[in-house]
Amino acid sequence: ALSWLCPDPKALVLDVCCGVGTIGLAVANKCKKVVGLELVPEAVESAKHNAAINGIKNAEYHAGKAEETLPSLLPKELAELGEDCEVCAIVDPPRPGLHKDVLTALRCCDQLSRIVYISCNPDSLVEDVVKLTSMTHDDQDPFVPVRAVAVDMFPHTVHVEMVLLLERKSRAPVPPPLPPKEQQAEGSAKKQESAAEASEKTAAAP
């Protein structure tokens, strides 16, 4: 997740639903400032303590609902750091996903170039990604999914932890063009032939 975030040294990193600050603190030495938001006050105090014992002075944490804190806090941070400040975000919400006001605040922040979304519920992840990536009349530079990985943190269950990178459409790398349909059909036929040959060899083996 941290290697995907790759913030600019002058960037502001938002750590939404930060818990005790583990992820944001790990990237603090690669950016200008980390701002963490967390609902549980005790977790915020732990995040501040973790920053202090690790000598990290460019991280601050706020207790409260992200949907109430972020919309008012983000403009203040941008005014302080300047209009040319890049913004990156890490979000690690609970199973219901992100509140619609958080999604709106993230999408409407023109300086926000990259989001690393960590999810324990792929269903709510899909719903939030649709809201971040859909085209609207007011915003013609939506986010696009760039890469994703599933992490099996719950062995012997159907649950996985998902990590997804989203970037602004205008900044995302252009995918290579698909081969012509004739080549796709030819490649598919070869794969089927290879699979059939392998199956015949297995059946013929003593």
Side-chain angles (χ1 to χ4, degrees):
L2 297 181
S3 63
W4 290 1
L5 191 67
C6 55
D8 183 272
K10 297 181 180 180
L12 167 66
V13 172
L14 301 173
D15 191 359
V16 182
C17 305
C18 65
V20 297
T22 305
I23 300 176
L25 292 176
V27 78
N29 65 340
K30 298 180 180 179
C31 65
K32 179 73 173 180
K33 186 177 183 180
V34 174
V35 174
L37 308 177
E38 172 57 44
L39 175 63
V40 182
E42 292 81 3
V44 170
E45 291 304 314
S46 294
K48 293 177 180 178
H49 178 68
N50 288 336
I53 62 176
N54 284 282
I56 297 173
K57 300 180 179 180
N58 63 331
E60 64 179 44
Y61 295 92
H62 302 268
K65 294 180 178 180
E67 61 268 26
E68 297 175 357
T69 309
L70 183 62
S72 59
L73 181 65
L74 186 53
K76 295 178 182 178
E77 293 292 339
L78 294 178
E80 178 183 326
L81 296 176
E83 295 183 356
D84 60 342
C85 171
E86 180 191 26
V87 182
C88 300
I90 307 164
V91 299
D92 188 3
R95 292 189 65 80
L98 292 171
H99 190 277
K100 61 181 181 61
D101 291 344
V102 175
L103 292 168
T104 299
L106 293 175
R107 178 160 177 157
C108 292
C109 178
D110 293 334
Q111 291 161 256
L112 179 60
S113 60
R114 193 176 300 108
I115 299 174
V116 175
Y117 195 127
I118 302 171
S119 173
C120 58
N121 183 2
D123 292 335
S124 60
L125 169 65
V126 169
E127 294 177 2
D128 287 350
V129 168
V130 168
K131 296 171 185 175
L132 289 168
T133 60
S134 59
M135 296 291 289
T136 68
H137 295 295
D138 297 327
D139 176 13
Q140 293 303 315
D141 192 16
F143 288 94
V144 295
V146 176
R147 62 180 67 173
V149 64
V151 183
D152 185 11
M153 296 181 64
F154 314 99
H156 309 296
T157 75
V158 296
H159 303 290
V160 295
E161 193 86 0
M162 288 293 299
V163 183
L164 175 68
L165 170 65
L166 300 109
E167 293 185 348
R168 291 286 185 182
K169 184 177 180 181
S170 61
R171 303 188 185 190
V174 179
L178 292 173
K181 291 184 178 180
E182 294 80 8
Q183 293 185 16
Q184 294 183 44
E186 182 180 347
S188 178
K190 288 183 178 179
K191 288 182 179 179
Q192 291 178 2
E193 290 177 3
S194 298
E197 291 177 1
S199 178
E200 290 176 0
K201 290 180 179 179
T202 302

